[in-house]
Amino acid sequence: MVTLVAPLSDARRLQGSESPLRGSIVPEGYLLTTRYLRHAYVDDVDGCSPEEHRHPEHVVFWPERGTAAVEVEGVRHRLALGQGLWVPAGTAHTAARSAATTLAALHVLPHAWEAPIGEVRAVCVNPALRELLAYLSETGMPKQQRLRAQRVCLELIADEARPVIELPLPRDHRIAAIARAIMVDPGDGRSLDDWAWSASLSARTLARAFRAETGMTFSQWRTAARMSAAVRLLGDGIPVGIVARRVGYATISAFSAAFHRVMGRPPHRFLPGSADE
């Protein structure tokens, strides 16, 4: 089970939020349900969508293959295969919903989760858990047998050993366009001074805005954006050398060193078929 930090009550999460609260999609009498967001469902009005919303259940997101991203309370989390993101009940988030997405969502009723709730955090969604959830979603069985299998699923959710890339998204109009441009082209090598000139701002103003909005320096934020893009490209099976160039590094060694420093593992461990899956 997950050992999480100080819980935040559902009442506190649901108060003062402008994001709509969806209805429960867990069938009555059960503990959880899995939604694969590439599919359409009868009750999609209460499912996940690209618009900011909240659920009365806890949700664990993970990519079925490659990588996927979830935005939670203004922070984009890039997930690779095997990585999941725990989003407590009542927490505002957005999720991609299209035939091309690899994202899946496990909805868990609050009373079914016996461990402390804690905050948004990384969890491990290993092959055994993924296969069991897929089996449950496709196979009919007696209620008590299904409930036993669902309890096993809850026990398989474990702390994530690999870090998840968290990329705070600035809302300040002075830097939001710059951040979007870097996410579109993480290999853009323009300096802080270059960006300041193009935005008709001083470098000091730009630097302060990045620090205030994201809690990072411009350089730190750009590195996080580059690593987020690198994880996605590696998950698509693109060779390390090509990924290095696409995210702005002149040599594989420089990219590998930066990647290992941020992610705690070398880039090749994020390629499809690596032992970390």
Side-chain angles (χ1 to χ4, degrees):
M1 299 290 286
V2 180
T3 302
L4 300 173
V5 296
L8 182 62
S9 71
D10 288 351
R12 283 179 60 197
R13 291 186 187 281
L14 302 181
Q15 290 174 352
S17 174
E18 297 179 356
S19 303
L21 179 65
R22 303 290 172 85
S24 176
I25 63 172
V26 177
E28 186 175 355
Y30 292 93
L31 306 177
L32 54 84
T33 193
T34 302
R35 289 297 169 88
Y36 297 91
L37 302 188
R38 69 183 184 277
H39 296 311
Y41 296 89
V42 173
D43 55 355
D44 265 350
V45 66
D46 291 320
C48 278
S49 71
E51 294 77 37
E52 188 173 74
H53 62 278
R54 298 170 292 132
H55 295 288
E57 314 98 352
H58 309 310
V59 186
V60 177
F61 292 98
W62 77 94
E64 298 176 81
R65 62 185 184 278
T67 65
V70 181
E71 186 175 328
V72 184
E73 296 182 327
V75 177
R76 177 172 293 184
H77 302 260
R78 172 66 61 180
L79 307 170
L81 185 62
Q83 294 177 312
L85 189 71
W86 170 270
V87 179
T91 303
H93 62 278
T94 65
R97 193 64 189 267
S98 72
T101 187
T102 70
L103 200 60
L106 171 65
H107 293 251
V108 180
L109 290 179
H111 72 78
W113 188 257
E114 298 178 356
I117 297 170
E119 304 295 336
V120 176
R121 65 169 294 155
V123 293
C124 180
V125 183
N126 60 35
L129 177 56
R130 298 198 300 270
E131 290 298 326
L132 183 51
L133 289 172
Y135 182 78
L136 287 174
S137 70
E138 298 169 358
T139 308
M141 63 184 67
K143 180 176 182 178
Q144 291 306 312
Q145 182 180 358
R146 182 172 293 274
L147 284 170
R148 288 195 298 270
Q150 289 183 348
R151 293 187 184 97
V152 171
C153 290
L154 294 175
E155 292 175 358
L156 287 173
I157 300 174
D159 286 330
E160 172 60 90
R162 290 193 301 182
V164 173
I165 286 287
E166 298 182 0
L167 190 63
L169 302 178
R171 300 183 185 275
D172 186 325
H173 70 278
R174 297 174 298 176
I175 60 174
I178 295 172
R180 287 195 298 270
I182 292 172
M183 287 190 292
V184 169
D185 180 13
D188 192 320
R190 278 180 281 181
S191 67
L192 182 66
D193 289 334
D194 294 334
W195 284 112
W197 183 85
S198 66
S200 299
L201 297 169
S202 72
R204 179 174 295 182
T205 297
L206 198 62
R208 286 175 175 171
F210 261 97
R211 174 70 77 176
E213 283 282 297
T214 70
M216 301 177 178
T217 66
F218 168 78
S219 178
Q220 290 169 336
W221 190 91
R222 182 171 63 180
T223 296
R226 286 176 167 180
M227 295 305 111
S228 177
V231 168
R232 173 178 55 81
L233 294 169
L234 291 165
D236 290 341
I238 297 176
V240 174
I242 296 176
V243 173
R245 291 192 295 274
R246 288 190 183 179
V247 299
Y249 289 85
T251 65
I252 294 177
S253 60
F255 166 67
S256 297
F259 190 94
H260 196 287
R261 184 173 63 253
V262 173
M263 300 303 298
R265 284 167 170 73
H268 72 268
R269 298 285 290 276
F270 285 74
L271 290 167
S274 73
D276 281 3
E277 290 185 10

